[in-house]
Amino acid sequence: MITWLMTVKEIKQHFRDYRTFIFMLGFPIVLMLVLGITLTNAFVTQLELSDIKVLVHDASSGELSQAFDGFEKQLASTGVAFETLKDGEDGRAAVEDNRYTAYVEVTDAGISQYGSSRDTVESGIVQGMLNAFADRYNAAAAVARTDPDKIGQLLAWTDGGSYLKEESIAADRTPGSMDYYAVALTVMVGLWGAMSAGGLLRSEQVRGTGIRLVAAPIRRGEIYVGKVLGNVVSNSLCILAIIFFSKWVFKAYWGAHLPLVIAVLVCEIIMSTSLGIAANELFKNGGGRGVVMLIVQVGSFLGGAYFPVSATGIMGLAAWASPIRWGNSALTQIIYAGQTSSAWSAIGLYLGAALVLLGATAAIRRNREGF
Protein backbone atom coordinates (compact mmCIF):
# COMPACT_ATOMS: atom_id res chain seq x y z
CA MET A 1 0.00 0.00 0.00
CA ILE A 2 2.82 2.39 0.88
CA THR A 3 4.52 1.59 -2.39
CA TRP A 4 1.32 2.39 -4.30
CA LEU A 5 0.86 5.68 -2.44
CA MET A 6 4.46 6.70 -3.17
CA THR A 7 3.97 5.81 -6.86
CA VAL A 8 0.80 7.91 -7.15
CA LYS A 9 2.48 10.79 -5.31
CA GLU A 10 5.42 10.78 -7.76
CA ILE A 11 3.11 10.68 -10.78
CA LYS A 12 1.05 13.62 -9.52
CA GLN A 13 4.16 15.61 -8.65
CA HIS A 14 5.64 14.87 -12.05
CA PHE A 15 2.67 16.14 -14.05
CA ARG A 16 1.95 19.13 -11.84
CA ASP A 17 5.23 20.60 -13.04
CA TYR A 18 4.53 22.54 -16.25
CA ARG A 19 8.12 21.92 -17.33
CA THR A 20 7.16 18.28 -17.87
CA PHE A 21 4.82 19.23 -20.69
CA ILE A 22 7.33 21.60 -22.26
CA PHE A 23 10.44 19.47 -21.95
CA MET A 24 9.06 15.92 -22.16
CA LEU A 25 6.22 16.54 -24.63
CA GLY A 26 6.38 19.90 -26.38
CA PHE A 27 10.10 19.99 -27.19
CA PRO A 28 10.41 16.51 -28.78
CA ILE A 29 7.22 16.98 -30.82
CA VAL A 30 8.39 20.34 -32.18
CA LEU A 31 11.87 18.95 -32.85
CA MET A 32 10.32 15.95 -34.61
CA LEU A 33 8.29 18.26 -36.83
CA VAL A 34 11.23 20.52 -37.69
CA LEU A 35 13.73 17.74 -38.43
CA GLY A 36 11.15 15.60 -40.21
CA ILE A 37 10.26 18.40 -42.62
CA THR A 38 13.66 20.01 -43.19
CA LEU A 39 15.56 16.75 -43.72
CA THR A 40 13.03 15.05 -45.98
CA ASN A 41 15.41 14.91 -48.94
CA ALA A 42 18.09 13.19 -46.87
CA PHE A 43 15.88 10.09 -46.65
CA VAL A 44 14.79 9.92 -50.31
CA THR A 45 16.00 6.63 -51.78
CA GLN A 46 14.38 6.83 -55.21
CA LEU A 47 15.79 8.57 -58.26
CA GLU A 48 13.33 10.97 -59.83
CA LEU A 49 13.67 11.25 -63.60
CA SER A 50 12.18 14.00 -65.72
CA ASP A 51 10.21 13.22 -68.87
CA ILE A 52 12.27 11.52 -71.53
CA LYS A 53 11.84 12.92 -75.05
CA VAL A 54 12.94 10.78 -77.97
CA LEU A 55 13.08 12.00 -81.56
CA VAL A 56 12.23 9.22 -84.06
CA HIS A 57 12.77 8.80 -87.79
CA ASP A 58 10.85 5.67 -88.80
CA ALA A 59 11.76 4.59 -92.34
CA SER A 60 10.82 0.94 -91.84
CA SER A 61 7.95 -0.94 -93.42
CA GLY A 62 5.69 -3.92 -92.84
CA GLU A 63 5.73 -5.77 -89.50
CA LEU A 64 8.66 -3.77 -88.12
CA SER A 65 6.84 -0.46 -88.61
CA GLN A 66 3.67 -1.80 -86.96
CA ALA A 67 5.61 -3.29 -84.09
CA PHE A 68 7.52 -0.07 -83.41
CA ASP A 69 4.29 1.92 -83.52
CA GLY A 70 2.84 -0.33 -80.79
CA PHE A 71 6.08 0.04 -78.86
CA GLU A 72 5.73 3.84 -78.89
CA LYS A 73 2.10 3.74 -77.74
CA GLN A 74 2.84 1.45 -74.83
CA LEU A 75 5.67 3.62 -73.51
CA ALA A 76 3.64 6.84 -73.77
CA SER A 77 2.17 6.17 -70.31
CA THR A 78 5.58 5.77 -68.67
CA GLY A 79 6.81 9.32 -69.25
CA VAL A 80 8.72 8.52 -72.46
CA ALA A 81 7.52 10.81 -75.25
CA PHE A 82 8.25 9.93 -78.89
CA GLU A 83 8.19 12.69 -81.48
CA THR A 84 8.46 12.21 -85.22
CA LEU A 85 11.35 13.83 -87.06
CA LYS A 86 10.12 16.71 -89.19
CA ASP A 87 11.21 17.25 -92.76
CA GLY A 88 14.50 19.10 -92.93
CA GLU A 89 15.21 18.61 -89.22
CA ASP A 90 18.58 17.23 -88.14
CA GLY A 91 18.01 14.64 -85.39
CA ARG A 92 21.61 14.56 -84.20
CA ALA A 93 21.76 18.33 -83.94
CA ALA A 94 18.54 18.34 -81.93
CA VAL A 95 20.13 15.96 -79.40
CA GLU A 96 23.32 18.03 -79.28
CA ASP A 97 21.20 21.12 -78.52
CA ASN A 98 19.75 19.17 -75.56
CA ARG A 99 16.20 19.38 -76.93
CA TYR A 100 15.85 15.59 -76.88
CA THR A 101 17.28 12.76 -74.82
CA ALA A 102 17.97 10.58 -77.84
CA TYR A 103 17.49 10.34 -81.59
CA VAL A 104 16.39 6.97 -83.01
CA GLU A 105 16.46 5.87 -86.65
CA VAL A 106 14.37 2.81 -87.54
CA THR A 107 14.96 1.16 -90.92
CA ASP A 108 14.42 -2.31 -92.29
CA ALA A 109 18.15 -2.88 -91.74
CA GLY A 110 17.96 -2.19 -88.01
CA ILE A 111 17.67 0.47 -85.31
CA SER A 112 20.24 3.18 -84.55
CA GLN A 113 20.29 5.40 -81.48
CA TYR A 114 22.16 8.64 -80.85
CA GLY A 115 22.13 9.48 -77.15
CA SER A 116 22.85 12.67 -75.26
CA SER A 117 26.09 12.88 -73.32
CA ARG A 118 24.42 15.30 -70.90
CA ASP A 119 21.62 12.91 -69.88
CA THR A 120 23.52 9.65 -69.65
CA VAL A 121 21.04 7.99 -67.28
CA GLU A 122 18.03 8.79 -69.49
CA SER A 123 19.96 7.76 -72.60
CA GLY A 124 20.78 4.45 -70.95
CA ILE A 125 17.10 3.90 -70.19
CA VAL A 126 16.17 4.52 -73.83
CA GLN A 127 18.90 2.16 -74.98
CA GLY A 128 17.68 -0.57 -72.64
CA MET A 129 14.10 -0.26 -73.91
CA LEU A 130 15.24 -0.37 -77.52
CA ASN A 131 17.31 -3.48 -76.79
CA ALA A 132 14.22 -5.10 -75.26
CA PHE A 133 12.18 -4.21 -78.33
CA ALA A 134 14.85 -5.52 -80.69
CA ASP A 135 15.15 -8.82 -78.79
CA ARG A 136 11.39 -9.35 -78.87
CA TYR A 137 11.14 -8.50 -82.55
CA ASN A 138 14.05 -10.81 -83.42
CA ALA A 139 12.39 -13.60 -81.46
CA ALA A 140 9.14 -13.01 -83.36
CA ALA A 141 11.00 -13.05 -86.67
CA ALA A 142 12.66 -16.36 -85.78
CA VAL A 143 9.31 -17.93 -84.85
CA ALA A 144 7.75 -16.61 -88.06
CA ARG A 145 10.09 -18.77 -90.10
CA THR A 146 8.61 -21.95 -88.65
CA ASP A 147 5.12 -20.84 -87.56
CA PRO A 148 3.99 -17.63 -89.30
CA ASP A 149 0.58 -17.72 -87.59
CA LYS A 150 2.10 -16.84 -84.21
CA ILE A 151 3.93 -13.69 -85.27
CA GLY A 152 0.87 -11.57 -84.61
CA GLN A 153 0.66 -12.89 -81.05
CA LEU A 154 4.34 -12.19 -80.36
CA LEU A 155 4.05 -8.66 -81.70
CA ALA A 156 0.89 -7.81 -79.74
CA TRP A 157 2.34 -5.02 -77.62
CA THR A 158 -0.91 -4.49 -75.73
CA ASP A 159 -0.70 -7.82 -73.89
CA GLY A 160 0.06 -6.15 -70.59
CA GLY A 161 3.81 -6.63 -70.88
CA SER A 162 6.15 -3.79 -70.07
CA TYR A 163 9.60 -2.65 -71.05
CA LEU A 164 10.03 -0.98 -67.66
CA LYS A 165 9.79 -3.14 -64.56
CA GLU A 166 10.78 -1.82 -61.17
CA GLU A 167 11.83 -4.30 -58.49
CA SER A 168 13.27 -3.69 -55.06
CA ILE A 169 16.30 -5.61 -53.85
CA ALA A 170 15.19 -4.98 -50.25
CA ALA A 171 11.43 -5.26 -50.28
CA ASP A 172 11.03 -4.16 -46.68
CA ARG A 173 9.64 -0.70 -46.07
CA THR A 174 12.26 1.97 -45.38
CA PRO A 175 11.70 4.93 -43.04
CA GLY A 176 11.12 8.45 -44.29
CA SER A 177 12.39 11.46 -42.38
CA MET A 178 9.29 11.72 -40.17
CA ASP A 179 9.29 7.97 -39.54
CA TYR A 180 12.96 8.03 -38.56
CA TYR A 181 12.75 10.98 -36.18
CA ALA A 182 9.53 9.71 -34.60
CA VAL A 183 11.42 6.61 -33.48
CA ALA A 184 14.78 8.25 -32.75
CA LEU A 185 13.41 11.14 -30.69
CA THR A 186 11.05 8.87 -28.77
CA VAL A 187 13.99 6.68 -27.78
CA MET A 188 15.90 9.83 -26.80
CA VAL A 189 13.03 10.99 -24.56
CA GLY A 190 13.13 7.56 -22.92
CA LEU A 191 16.70 8.25 -21.87
CA TRP A 192 15.66 11.64 -20.50
CA GLY A 193 14.02 9.72 -17.65
CA ALA A 194 17.48 9.66 -16.07
CA MET A 195 17.29 13.43 -15.48
CA SER A 196 14.03 13.30 -13.55
CA ALA A 197 15.18 10.18 -11.69
CA GLY A 198 18.26 11.98 -10.41
CA GLY A 199 16.09 14.17 -8.21
CA LEU A 200 13.87 11.43 -6.78
CA LEU A 201 15.87 11.07 -3.59
CA ARG A 202 17.62 14.43 -3.60
CA SER A 203 14.30 16.29 -3.67
CA GLU A 204 13.33 14.70 -0.35
CA GLN A 205 16.66 15.74 1.12
CA VAL A 206 16.34 19.33 -0.10
CA ARG A 207 12.80 19.71 1.21
CA GLY A 208 13.68 18.07 4.54
CA THR A 209 11.01 15.39 4.14
CA GLY A 210 13.58 12.62 3.95
CA ILE A 211 14.06 12.67 7.74
CA ARG A 212 10.32 12.31 8.27
CA LEU A 213 10.13 9.39 5.86
CA VAL A 214 12.96 7.61 7.66
CA ALA A 215 11.34 8.23 11.06
CA ALA A 216 7.95 6.95 9.87
CA PRO A 217 7.11 3.25 10.29
CA ILE A 218 7.84 2.62 6.62
CA ARG A 219 10.47 0.37 5.16
CA ARG A 220 13.01 2.08 2.95
CA GLY A 221 12.49 -0.51 0.24
CA GLU A 222 8.85 0.50 -0.12
CA ILE A 223 9.84 4.15 -0.49
CA TYR A 224 12.51 3.46 -3.09
CA VAL A 225 10.34 1.08 -5.12
CA GLY A 226 7.42 3.54 -5.06
CA LYS A 227 9.62 6.37 -6.29
CA VAL A 228 11.16 4.28 -9.05
CA LEU A 229 7.76 3.04 -10.22
CA GLY A 230 6.41 6.58 -10.16
CA ASN A 231 9.19 7.83 -12.40
CA VAL A 232 8.86 4.85 -14.76
CA VAL A 233 5.07 5.27 -15.09
CA SER A 234 5.31 9.06 -15.57
CA ASN A 235 7.91 8.80 -18.31
CA SER A 236 6.07 5.88 -19.93
CA LEU A 237 2.94 8.03 -20.19
CA CYS A 238 4.99 10.74 -21.91
CA ILE A 239 6.40 8.16 -24.31
CA LEU A 240 2.93 6.86 -25.14
CA ALA A 241 1.71 10.39 -25.79
CA ILE A 242 4.58 11.03 -28.22
CA ILE A 243 4.04 7.71 -30.01
CA PHE A 244 0.34 8.18 -30.61
CA PHE A 245 0.68 11.88 -31.42
CA SER A 246 3.32 11.15 -34.08
CA LYS A 247 1.26 8.23 -35.38
CA TRP A 248 -2.04 10.07 -35.68
CA VAL A 249 -0.92 13.63 -36.43
CA PHE A 250 2.42 13.25 -38.25
CA LYS A 251 1.42 9.89 -39.80
CA ALA A 252 4.68 8.29 -38.67
CA TYR A 253 4.91 4.55 -39.24
CA TRP A 254 5.23 2.41 -36.09
CA GLY A 255 4.77 -1.01 -37.65
CA ALA A 256 2.53 -3.94 -36.76
CA HIS A 257 4.18 -4.82 -33.43
CA LEU A 258 3.42 -1.71 -31.36
CA PRO A 259 3.09 -3.56 -27.99
CA LEU A 260 6.60 -4.96 -28.42
CA VAL A 261 7.88 -1.50 -29.37
CA ILE A 262 6.36 -0.06 -26.19
CA ALA A 263 7.91 -2.88 -24.13
CA VAL A 264 11.39 -1.98 -25.40
CA LEU A 265 10.84 1.69 -24.57
CA VAL A 266 9.55 0.92 -21.06
CA CYS A 267 12.64 -1.18 -20.39
CA GLU A 268 14.76 1.75 -21.57
CA ILE A 269 12.95 4.00 -19.08
CA ILE A 270 13.66 1.50 -16.29
CA MET A 271 17.33 1.60 -17.22
CA SER A 272 17.42 5.40 -17.45
CA THR A 273 15.72 5.71 -14.04
CA SER A 274 18.38 3.41 -12.56
CA LEU A 275 21.07 5.52 -14.23
CA GLY A 276 19.73 8.74 -12.73
CA ILE A 277 19.55 7.29 -9.21
CA ALA A 278 23.04 5.77 -9.44
CA ALA A 279 24.58 9.00 -10.74
CA ASN A 280 22.99 10.97 -7.90
CA GLU A 281 24.51 8.58 -5.34
CA LEU A 282 27.98 8.54 -6.87
CA PHE A 283 28.29 12.30 -7.46
CA LYS A 284 27.15 14.45 -4.56
CA ASN A 285 26.01 18.08 -4.34
CA GLY A 286 24.15 18.02 -7.62
CA GLY A 287 27.09 16.61 -9.60
CA GLY A 288 25.03 13.62 -10.69
CA ARG A 289 22.72 15.85 -12.71
CA GLY A 290 25.64 17.18 -14.76
CA VAL A 291 26.93 13.67 -15.38
CA VAL A 292 23.49 12.53 -16.52
CA MET A 293 23.17 15.50 -18.87
CA LEU A 294 26.54 14.66 -20.40
CA ILE A 295 25.60 11.00 -20.86
CA VAL A 296 22.25 11.93 -22.41
CA GLN A 297 23.74 14.42 -24.88
CA VAL A 298 26.64 12.19 -25.95
CA GLY A 299 24.32 9.19 -26.13
CA SER A 300 21.85 11.12 -28.28
CA PHE A 301 24.60 12.21 -30.67
CA LEU A 302 26.15 8.75 -31.00
CA GLY A 303 22.81 6.95 -31.00
CA GLY A 304 21.46 8.75 -34.07
CA ALA A 305 18.82 10.91 -32.41
CA TYR A 306 19.69 13.94 -34.57
CA PHE A 307 20.97 12.24 -37.72
CA PRO A 308 21.68 8.65 -38.83
CA VAL A 309 25.07 7.33 -37.69
CA SER A 310 26.97 4.77 -39.74
CA ALA A 311 27.18 1.31 -38.24
CA THR A 312 30.74 0.81 -39.52
CA GLY A 313 34.13 2.20 -38.58
CA ILE A 314 35.19 3.82 -35.32
CA MET A 315 32.02 5.91 -35.18
CA GLY A 316 29.92 2.78 -35.48
CA LEU A 317 31.77 1.04 -32.65
CA ALA A 318 31.41 4.09 -30.39
CA ALA A 319 27.70 4.32 -31.22
CA TRP A 320 27.02 0.90 -29.69
CA ALA A 321 27.99 2.31 -26.30
CA SER A 322 24.90 4.53 -26.48
CA PRO A 323 21.66 3.19 -24.96
CA ILE A 324 19.80 5.13 -27.62
CA ARG A 325 21.54 3.10 -30.31
CA TRP A 326 20.32 -0.14 -28.68
CA GLY A 327 16.73 1.04 -28.87
CA ASN A 328 16.99 2.58 -32.36
CA SER A 329 18.51 -0.56 -33.83
CA ALA A 330 15.99 -2.89 -32.20
CA LEU A 331 12.95 -0.77 -33.07
CA THR A 332 14.07 -0.36 -36.68
CA GLN A 333 14.33 -4.13 -37.06
CA ILE A 334 10.94 -4.66 -35.41
CA ILE A 335 9.07 -1.95 -37.31
CA TYR A 336 10.55 -2.27 -40.81
CA ALA A 337 11.77 -5.88 -40.98
CA GLY A 338 9.32 -7.59 -38.64
CA GLN A 339 12.19 -9.15 -36.66
CA THR A 340 10.55 -9.38 -33.24
CA SER A 341 13.53 -11.30 -31.88
CA SER A 342 15.55 -8.06 -31.98
CA ALA A 343 13.44 -6.77 -29.10
CA TRP A 344 14.79 -9.34 -26.67
CA SER A 345 18.40 -8.31 -27.13
CA ALA A 346 17.53 -4.67 -26.40
CA ILE A 347 15.32 -5.63 -23.44
CA GLY A 348 18.11 -7.79 -22.06
CA LEU A 349 20.66 -4.98 -22.38
CA TYR A 350 18.37 -2.44 -20.72
CA LEU A 351 17.28 -4.65 -17.83
CA GLY A 352 20.81 -5.96 -17.32
CA ALA A 353 22.18 -2.43 -17.11
CA ALA A 354 19.34 -1.48 -14.74
CA LEU A 355 20.15 -4.36 -12.38
CA VAL A 356 23.84 -3.40 -12.30
CA LEU A 357 23.06 0.26 -11.62
CA LEU A 358 20.47 -0.50 -8.92
CA GLY A 359 22.81 -3.03 -7.34
CA ALA A 360 25.59 -0.45 -7.21
CA THR A 361 23.20 2.09 -5.66
CA ALA A 362 22.07 -0.40 -3.02
CA ALA A 363 25.67 -1.22 -2.12
CA ILE A 364 26.53 2.47 -1.68
CA ARG A 365 23.50 3.18 0.50
CA ARG A 366 23.71 0.02 2.58
CA ASN A 367 25.57 1.52 5.50
CA ARG A 368 24.37 5.08 5.10
CA GLU A 369 22.20 6.69 7.73
CA GLY A 370 19.31 8.97 6.87
CA PHE A 371 17.39 9.11 3.64
Side-chain angles (χ1 to χ4, degrees):
M1 186 61 181
I2 297 299
T3 300
W4 168 250
L5 292 175
M6 290 297 300
T7 301
V8 173
K9 174 256 182 187
E10 288 297 328
I11 295 174
K12 290 181 178 179
Q13 185 173 320
H14 194 83
F15 285 104
R16 282 173 182 169
D17 189 353
Y18 69 92
R19 289 174 296 182
T20 298
F21 295 96
I22 296 176
F23 187 68
M24 297 294 289
L25 294 176
F27 179 71
I29 288 175
V30 172
L31 187 61
M32 188 186 305
L33 177 63
V34 172
L35 293 177
I37 293 176
T38 56
L39 298 180
T40 298
N41 293 334
F43 291 83
V44 174
T45 58
Q46 296 180 347
L47 179 63
E48 297 291 339
L49 296 176
S50 57
D51 291 340
I52 299 176
K53 297 175 64 177
V54 180
L55 188 62
V56 179
H57 174 54
D58 188 358
S60 62
S61 60
E63 294 290 350
L64 177 58
S65 180
Q66 296 178 12
F68 196 82
D69 183 63
F71 171 72
E72 292 182 0
K73 292 179 180 179
Q74 187 193 36
L75 291 180
S77 61
T78 65
V80 181
F82 289 89
E83 296 185 12
T84 303
L85 182 71
K86 298 177 181 179
D87 294 337
E89 185 178 11
D90 188 343
R92 299 188 186 185
V95 174
E96 291 177 359
D97 294 339
N98 204 33
R99 290 187 285 128
Y100 295 91
T101 303
Y103 169 56
V104 177
E105 291 182 349
V106 184
T107 64
D108 292 332
I111 301 175
S112 301
Q113 176 197 352
Y114 302 91
S116 171
S117 59
R118 302 180 185 180
D119 300 322
T120 55
V121 175
E122 289 84 350
S123 296
I125 292 175
V126 174
Q127 181 179 357
M129 292 185 297
L130 290 174
N131 289 337
F133 168 80
D135 291 341
R136 187 166 183 175
Y137 182 82
N138 291 334
V143 171
R145 298 189 186 99
T146 57
D147 193 353
D149 295 335
K150 291 186 177 181
I151 187 171
Q153 180 181 355
L154 290 173
L155 294 179
W157 308 102
T158 58
D159 61 352
S162 176
Y163 293 96
L164 292 175
K165 184 177 181 181
E166 181 179 353
E167 294 184 353
S168 174
I169 297 176
D172 296 327
R173 174 170 178 163
T174 56
S177 59
M178 192 62 73
D179 300 325
Y180 176 84
Y181 285 111
V183 174
L185 294 179
T186 303
V187 177
M188 183 181 71
V189 172
L191 189 60
W192 285 358
M195 291 184 282
S196 59
L200 287 178
L201 303 181
R202 181 172 173 78
S203 61
E204 304 293 349
Q205 297 169 351
V206 172
R207 290 196 299 263
T209 54
I211 299 176
R212 295 182 181 182
L213 288 174
V214 173
I218 305 172
R219 288 182 296 181
R220 290 188 182 183
E222 294 178 324
I223 300 173
Y224 297 150
V225 172
K227 282 184 164 291
V228 170
L229 285 178
N231 191 75
V232 170
V233 172
S234 300
N235 285 276
S236 297
L237 292 175
C238 292
I239 289 293
L240 289 175
I242 295 174
I243 289 176
F244 289 108
F245 187 90
S246 64
K247 180 180 178 67
W248 293 333
V249 178
F250 295 154
K251 306 302 179 183
Y253 182 69
W254 283 95
H257 305 282
L258 192 56
L260 198 56
V261 169
I262 294 173
V264 173
L265 293 170
V266 170
C267 291
E268 182 199 12
I269 294 171
I270 295 173
M271 186 279 301
S272 64
T273 301
S274 305
L275 173 63
I277 295 174
N280 186 68
E281 292 298 321
L282 289 173
F283 303 93
K284 297 300 179 181
N285 300 323
R289 184 177 181 83
V291 172
V292 169
M293 286 291 294
L294 178 62
I295 293 175
V296 169
Q297 293 303 321
V298 174
S300 299
F301 175 78
L302 294 176
Y306 304 118
F307 54 86
V309 177
S310 174
T312 59
I314 298 177
M315 194 70 172
L317 293 175
W320 282 109
S322 169
I324 293 180
R325 181 58 176 268
W326 307 344
N328 273 344
S329 178
L331 295 187
T332 300
Q333 293 297 320
I334 296 169
I335 295 171
Y336 298 101
Q339 297 181 8
T340 56
S341 59
S342 301
W344 304 114
S345 59
I347 290 174
L349 286 171
Y350 284 139
L351 295 184
L355 288 175
V356 171
L357 292 168
L358 289 177
T361 303
I364 294 172
R365 297 188 63 86
R366 181 175 301 168
N367 299 320
R368 178 177 299 172
E369 295 182 358
F371 188 76

Short mmCIF file of all heavy atoms in Angstrom, two decimals, residues 307-332:
data_model
loop_
_atom_site.label_atom_id
_atom_site.label_comp_id
_atom_site.label_asym_id
_atom_site.label_seq_id
_atom_site.Cartn_x
_atom_site.Cartn_y
_atom_site.Cartn_z
N PHE A 307 20.72 12.64 -36.34
CA PHE A 307 20.97 12.24 -37.72
C PHE A 307 21.47 10.80 -37.71
O PHE A 307 22.04 10.35 -36.72
CB PHE A 307 22.01 13.16 -38.40
CG PHE A 307 23.30 13.27 -37.63
CD1 PHE A 307 24.32 12.34 -37.80
CD2 PHE A 307 23.50 14.31 -36.73
CE1 PHE A 307 25.50 12.44 -37.09
CE2 PHE A 307 24.69 14.41 -36.01
CZ PHE A 307 25.68 13.48 -36.20
N PRO A 308 21.24 10.05 -38.79
CA PRO A 308 21.68 8.65 -38.83
C PRO A 308 23.20 8.54 -38.69
O PRO A 308 23.94 9.34 -39.27
CB PRO A 308 21.22 8.16 -40.21
CG PRO A 308 20.12 9.09 -40.59
CD PRO A 308 20.47 10.43 -40.00
N VAL A 309 23.64 7.56 -37.92
CA VAL A 309 25.07 7.33 -37.69
C VAL A 309 25.44 6.00 -38.34
O VAL A 309 24.72 5.00 -38.19
CB VAL A 309 25.40 7.30 -36.19
CG1 VAL A 309 26.88 6.98 -35.97
CG2 VAL A 309 25.05 8.63 -35.55
N SER A 310 26.54 5.99 -39.07
CA SER A 310 26.97 4.77 -39.74
C SER A 310 27.27 3.68 -38.73
O SER A 310 27.77 3.93 -37.63
CB SER A 310 28.23 5.07 -40.58
OG SER A 310 28.74 3.87 -41.14
N ALA A 311 26.95 2.45 -39.13
CA ALA A 311 27.18 1.31 -38.24
C ALA A 311 28.58 0.73 -38.41
O ALA A 311 28.92 -0.26 -37.75
CB ALA A 311 26.14 0.22 -38.51
N THR A 312 29.40 1.32 -39.27
CA THR A 312 30.74 0.81 -39.52
C THR A 312 31.79 1.81 -39.06
O THR A 312 31.49 2.98 -38.81
CB THR A 312 30.93 0.53 -41.02
OG1 THR A 312 30.71 1.74 -41.76
CG2 THR A 312 29.92 -0.51 -41.49
N GLY A 313 33.02 1.34 -38.95
CA GLY A 313 34.13 2.20 -38.58
C GLY A 313 34.15 2.51 -37.09
O GLY A 313 33.42 1.95 -36.27
N ILE A 314 35.03 3.44 -36.73
CA ILE A 314 35.19 3.82 -35.32
C ILE A 314 33.92 4.45 -34.78
O ILE A 314 33.51 4.20 -33.64
CB ILE A 314 36.38 4.81 -35.19
CG1 ILE A 314 37.68 4.12 -35.64
CG2 ILE A 314 36.51 5.29 -33.75
CD1 ILE A 314 38.89 5.03 -35.61
N MET A 315 33.26 5.27 -35.61
CA MET A 315 32.02 5.91 -35.18
C MET A 315 30.95 4.87 -34.88
O MET A 315 30.18 5.00 -33.92
CB MET A 315 31.53 6.86 -36.26
CG MET A 315 30.44 7.82 -35.81
SD MET A 315 31.05 9.06 -34.66
CE MET A 315 29.59 10.11 -34.54
N GLY A 316 30.90 3.83 -35.70
CA GLY A 316 29.92 2.78 -35.48
C GLY A 316 30.17 2.01 -34.20
O GLY A 316 29.24 1.67 -33.47
N LEU A 317 31.44 1.74 -33.90
CA LEU A 317 31.77 1.04 -32.65
C LEU A 317 31.43 1.90 -31.44
O LEU A 317 30.90 1.40 -30.44
CB LEU A 317 33.26 0.68 -32.64
CG LEU A 317 33.71 -0.38 -33.66
CD1 LEU A 317 35.22 -0.55 -33.63
CD2 LEU A 317 33.01 -1.71 -33.39
N ALA A 318 31.73 3.19 -31.51
CA ALA A 318 31.41 4.09 -30.39
C ALA A 318 29.91 4.22 -30.20
O ALA A 318 29.42 4.38 -29.07
CB ALA A 318 32.04 5.46 -30.63
N ALA A 319 29.15 4.15 -31.31
CA ALA A 319 27.70 4.32 -31.22
C ALA A 319 27.05 3.21 -30.41
O ALA A 319 26.02 3.44 -29.75
CB ALA A 319 27.11 4.36 -32.62
N TRP A 320 27.64 2.02 -30.42
CA TRP A 320 27.02 0.90 -29.69
C TRP A 320 27.16 1.06 -28.19
O TRP A 320 26.55 0.29 -27.43
CB TRP A 320 27.63 -0.42 -30.15
CG TRP A 320 27.07 -0.87 -31.45
CD1 TRP A 320 27.70 -0.89 -32.66
CD2 TRP A 320 25.74 -1.33 -31.69
NE1 TRP A 320 26.86 -1.34 -33.64
CE2 TRP A 320 25.65 -1.63 -33.07
CE3 TRP A 320 24.62 -1.53 -30.88
CZ2 TRP A 320 24.47 -2.10 -33.65
CZ3 TRP A 320 23.46 -2.01 -31.46
CH2 TRP A 320 23.39 -2.29 -32.81
N ALA A 321 27.93 2.03 -27.74
CA ALA A 321 27.99 2.31 -26.30
C ALA A 321 26.81 3.17 -25.85
O ALA A 321 26.61 3.36 -24.65
CB ALA A 321 29.31 3.02 -25.96
N SER A 322 26.04 3.67 -26.80
CA SER A 322 24.90 4.53 -26.48
C SER A 322 23.64 3.71 -26.28
O SER A 322 23.27 2.91 -27.14
CB SER A 322 24.67 5.54 -27.61
OG SER A 322 23.44 6.21 -27.45
N PRO A 323 22.95 3.89 -25.15
CA PRO A 323 21.66 3.19 -24.96
C PRO A 323 20.63 3.55 -26.01
O PRO A 323 19.74 2.75 -26.30
CB PRO A 323 21.22 3.65 -23.56
CG PRO A 323 22.47 4.12 -22.88
CD PRO A 323 23.33 4.68 -23.98
N ILE A 324 20.75 4.73 -26.58
CA ILE A 324 19.80 5.13 -27.62
C ILE A 324 20.01 4.28 -28.88
O ILE A 324 19.05 3.92 -29.56
CB ILE A 324 19.95 6.62 -27.93
CG1 ILE A 324 19.51 7.46 -26.72
CG2 ILE A 324 19.14 7.02 -29.16
CD1 ILE A 324 19.62 8.95 -26.91
N ARG A 325 21.25 3.94 -29.15
CA ARG A 325 21.54 3.10 -30.31
C ARG A 325 20.91 1.71 -30.14
O ARG A 325 20.41 1.12 -31.11
CB ARG A 325 23.05 2.99 -30.52
CG ARG A 325 23.46 2.15 -31.74
CD ARG A 325 22.86 2.70 -33.02
NE ARG A 325 23.32 1.97 -34.18
CZ ARG A 325 24.37 2.32 -34.90
NH1 ARG A 325 25.08 3.38 -34.58
NH2 ARG A 325 24.72 1.62 -35.95
N TRP A 326 20.93 1.17 -28.92
CA TRP A 326 20.32 -0.14 -28.68
C TRP A 326 18.84 -0.11 -29.06
O TRP A 326 18.36 -0.99 -29.74
CB TRP A 326 20.45 -0.54 -27.21
CG TRP A 326 21.85 -0.49 -26.65
CD1 TRP A 326 23.01 -0.42 -27.37
CD2 TRP A 326 22.22 -0.48 -25.27
NE1 TRP A 326 24.08 -0.36 -26.52
CE2 TRP A 326 23.64 -0.42 -25.23
CE3 TRP A 326 21.51 -0.54 -24.09
CZ2 TRP A 326 24.33 -0.39 -24.02
CZ3 TRP A 326 22.20 -0.53 -22.88
CH2 TRP A 326 23.61 -0.45 -22.86
N GLY A 327 18.16 0.93 -28.58
CA GLY A 327 16.73 1.04 -28.87
C GLY A 327 16.45 1.33 -30.33
O GLY A 327 15.55 0.72 -30.93
N ASN A 328 17.20 2.24 -30.94
CA ASN A 328 16.99 2.58 -32.36
C ASN A 328 17.17 1.36 -33.25
O ASN A 328 16.37 1.11 -34.16
CB ASN A 328 17.97 3.68 -32.79
CG ASN A 328 17.44 5.06 -32.51
OD1 ASN A 328 16.25 5.24 -32.26
ND2 ASN A 328 18.30 6.05 -32.52
N SER A 329 18.23 0.62 -33.01
CA SER A 329 18.51 -0.56 -33.83
C SER A 329 17.42 -1.60 -33.68
O SER A 329 16.93 -2.16 -34.67
CB SER A 329 19.87 -1.14 -33.44
OG SER A 329 20.16 -2.31 -34.19
N ALA A 330 17.02 -1.87 -32.43
CA ALA A 330 15.99 -2.89 -32.20
C ALA A 330 14.65 -2.47 -32.78
O ALA A 330 13.97 -3.27 -33.46
CB ALA A 330 15.86 -3.15 -30.70
N LEU A 331 14.25 -1.22 -32.57
CA LEU A 331 12.95 -0.77 -33.07
C LEU A 331 12.91 -0.73 -34.58
O LEU A 331 11.88 -1.02 -35.20
CB LEU A 331 12.62 0.60 -32.49
CG LEU A 331 12.43 0.67 -30.97
CD1 LEU A 331 11.93 2.06 -30.57
CD2 LEU A 331 11.46 -0.38 -30.49
N THR A 332 14.02 -0.37 -35.22
CA THR A 332 14.07 -0.36 -36.68
C THR A 332 13.86 -1.76 -37.24
O THR A 332 13.12 -1.95 -38.22
CB THR A 332 15.41 0.21 -37.17
OG1 THR A 332 15.57 1.55 -36.69
CG2 THR A 332 15.47 0.22 -38.69
#
